[in-house]
Amino acid sequence: MRITVRVAAVQAEPSWLRLSEGVEQVVELIRAAATRGARLIAFPEAFIPGYPWWRWIDTNQWNVEYSTRCRENSMTRDGVEMRAITGAAAAHGIHVVLGFGERQDRRIYMSQAVIDDSGELLSVRRKAGLNSVERKIFASGTPNLPAVHHTPIGKYGALSGQENQRPLLTRALRADEEQIHVAAWPGSPYADAAGPDSSITVSRMYALEAGAFVLAPTAVVGEPAFDGMGGAPRISGPTGRARIYAADGSEVVTPLGDGEEGILYADLDLDAGSGDTQQRDSVPVRRGSRRVASGWQSGPDRWALPVSLGTYPGGIAAC
C-alpha cells in the first residue's frame, strides 16, 4: 500500500521573548496546518522564545538584560506550556517537531521536541554542539545520537542548525532508514551567518545523501526581533526561506518570499524513489507510535545513547 503524507514547514516570525504569546502562536500554526490536512508540522530552531540574534550584534553588557529575558521566556519540557502544545497536537491529530529554549533551573538548552499525533512527547533532545555565540546563552546538552521515530506516517527524525552537517548524527539517522527529515534553521537578519545559502545547501545535500525528504523550516527575522531593545542596531537584508526537498534534492514546492510569513505544504509519496509529490502548494499565514533500536536509554535527553557504550546499535561509532 502506497503512503502519501501531507507535511508542513513553518516560515514565520517568532513571538520574540514572549513565552505565552509564543505558545499561542505555535498552537495556532498547528491548528492551521491540521486544517489543511497536514500530518506533520516542523518548526524552526529555537522558535520559542526565538533565536537570540542580538548576541551577534552588540556588546556583552548590552546583552545581559536580553539573555535574562531569554531564560525567563523559555519553557520546561513538562510544564503547562508544553502541555498546551502536546494538547494541540492531540486535538488536531498531527505530529509536531518544535525547536524551543528549554529551561532547567538557571540553565537553558537549545532543545528539539518530537510529539506524535496522540500528544505523546516522544523525545526531547538537547543540542550539544553549540557555536561560540550560542554558548554564551545556552548550556550544552549531553552528546547523544538522534532517534528515528517509526510511526504510521513514516520514519522521521530531526536535527537543529549545524547538526545537519555532522556525520556522526546524520549517519545515525540514515542507518535507521529515515524517510522524512526535519532540518530546523533559525533564520537570520543578514542571510546565513555561516555563509551564502549555507542552510539551503546543507538541507539539499542531506536529501541527496540520505535519500530522504527534507523539511527545512526557517524563522523570519524582521523589525519585531528588535522591538523594545532600546539602541539595538537594525540589520536589514534577506531572512531565511523555508524549503521542502525531495530525495533527489529537487524542491517540491515553490518557497515563500523573503520575510513572508506562512506555511509550506507538500504531499510526500514515501514509496516513490524519486521523491515525487502531488498537490504542491504554499500558503501565507498571517499572524502514534514509535520504535527505537535496542540500547537507547532514557535520561536527561530521552532516547540518548550513553557515550560509554561506544557504538550506535546499528554499528556507527559514537565518538
Side-chain angles (χ1 to χ4, degrees):
M1 180 178 68
R2 302 187 74 85
I3 299 176
T4 301
V5 178
R6 171 158 280 209
V7 297
V10 171
Q11 178 176 308
E13 181 119 16
S15 297
W16 302 99
L17 301 174
R18 301 191 301 275
L19 177 56
S20 60
E21 292 180 29
V23 172
E24 292 174 1
Q25 181 185 15
V26 166
V27 168
E28 172 55 27
L29 288 168
I30 288 172
R31 184 205 63 78
T35 299
R36 293 295 306 270
R39 300 294 310 282
L40 169 66
I41 181 171
F43 287 87
E45 183 176 27
F47 193 68
I48 294 177
Y51 189 89
W53 282 110
W54 52 87
R55 290 299 277 138
W56 294 75
I57 61 176
D58 216 313
T59 65
N60 288 339
Q61 183 177 0
W62 182 86
N63 275 284
V64 169
E65 175 186 351
Y66 303 105
S67 295
T68 300
R69 287 175 58 188
C70 185
R71 181 174 62 252
E72 292 173 345
N73 286 277
S74 293
M75 64 182 188
T76 61
R77 68 174 66 187
D78 56 359
V80 62
E81 295 87 5
M82 182 62 81
R83 290 197 293 273
I85 294 169
T86 57
H92 297 291
I94 186 171
H95 295 248
V96 178
V97 177
L98 173 67
F100 71 104
E102 181 191 352
R103 187 179 72 253
Q104 185 178 48
D105 301 322
R106 293 193 57 80
R107 292 184 176 183
I108 51 175
Y109 299 88
M110 300 185 74
S111 295
Q112 196 171 37
V114 177
I115 304 163
D116 74 6
D117 56 358
S118 71
E120 182 179 357
L121 190 61
L122 298 183
S123 67
V124 175
R125 201 173 154 274
R126 294 171 174 171
K127 187 176 180 181
L130 307 181
N131 62 43
S132 59
V133 173
E134 291 168 350
R135 287 196 296 271
K136 295 178 181 178
I137 301 175
F138 299 101
S140 182
T142 304
N144 65 89
L145 296 179
V148 171
H149 299 277
H150 293 231
T151 76
I153 65 167
K155 296 176 283 189
Y156 69 87
L159 293 171
S160 291
Q162 66 266 36
E163 289 185 324
N164 290 285
Q165 59 192 103
R166 293 187 173 160
L168 174 62
L169 302 179
T170 60
R171 287 171 184 167
L173 294 175
R174 293 204 302 270
D176 206 10
E177 300 177 347
E178 184 185 36
Q179 295 173 296
I180 302 173
H181 177 71
V182 175
W185 300 98
S188 169
Y190 41 87
D192 283 331
D197 296 328
S198 60
S199 63
I200 295 172
T201 301
V202 171
S203 299
R204 176 175 280 134
M205 287 303 299
Y206 192 104
L208 287 167
E209 292 177 359
F213 293 99
V214 172
L215 280 62
T218 309
V220 169
V221 185
E223 282 294 310
F226 304 98
D227 288 348
M229 293 189 177
R234 264 52 172 178
I235 295 179
S236 60
T239 64
R241 299 177 72 185
R243 299 292 204 281
I244 300 177
Y245 293 105
D248 62 358
S250 63
E251 294 190 55
V252 299
V253 61
T254 301
L256 296 166
D258 280 330
E260 183 177 7
E261 296 189 69
I263 302 175
L264 294 183
Y265 297 94
D267 288 352
L268 309 183
D269 182 354
L270 300 187
D271 295 303
S274 62
D276 292 338
T277 63
Q278 302 172 0
Q279 301 178 12
R280 305 166 185 174
D281 60 356
S282 59
V283 180
V285 176
R286 304 299 176 190
R287 311 250 344 167
S289 63
R290 67 176 181 274
R291 177 177 68 81
V292 294
S294 61
W296 293 96
Q297 299 184 7
S298 60
D301 295 314
R302 295 178 65 188
W303 322 124
L305 181 69
V307 174
S308 61
L309 290 183
T311 58
Y312 170 70
I316 303 300
C319 59

